[in-house]
Amino acid sequence: WYGFFWAFVIFGYPQYALATKRLMDLEIEPQVALAFVFITIIPFIGPITQLGMWIWLVATPGTEGSNKFGPESQASVDARIYK
């Protein structure tokens, strides 16, 4: 059990945190990020499905401007200026 706990602390929590921030940028409820963590438990299919979900998160453009989770960050506003 200790190995599972430390694997979650090292890999699961950062994965959950990153997925939550990205899903908020896409205006999707952050609870969906729990699927990213628990899908890994499914043997053989889990890692492949998880890889597909991460590719989808990276490739999907976020919403421009403010959304229901808060205002747009200043870094993204500055990046849009330099295009």
Side-chain angles (χ1 to χ4, degrees), residues 25 62-66 71-83:
D25 186 38
T63 57
E64 286 197 25
S66 299
E72 185 174 18
S73 68
Q74 187 62 36
S76 62
V77 172
D78 292 341
R80 205 175 319 128
I81 292 172
Y82 295 114
K83 280 187 175 181

Side-chain angles (χ1 to χ4, degrees), residues 8-65:
F8 175 75
V9 169
I10 293 171
F11 299 109
Y13 181 74
Q15 175 185 0
Y16 174 72
L18 290 171
T20 299
K21 294 294 271 184
R22 184 67 180 128
L23 287 170
M24 280 192 215
D25 186 38
L26 297 172
E27 290 197 65
I28 300 173
E29 292 297 324
Q31 288 82 7
V32 176
L34 289 174
F36 284 94
V37 175
F38 292 117
I39 199 90
T40 311
I41 297 171
I42 302 171
F44 303 111
I45 298 171
I48 295 168
T49 307
Q50 188 179 38
L51 180 64
M53 286 192 291
W54 276 107
I55 291 171
W56 172 74
L57 274 180
V58 170
T60 306
T63 57
E64 286 197 25

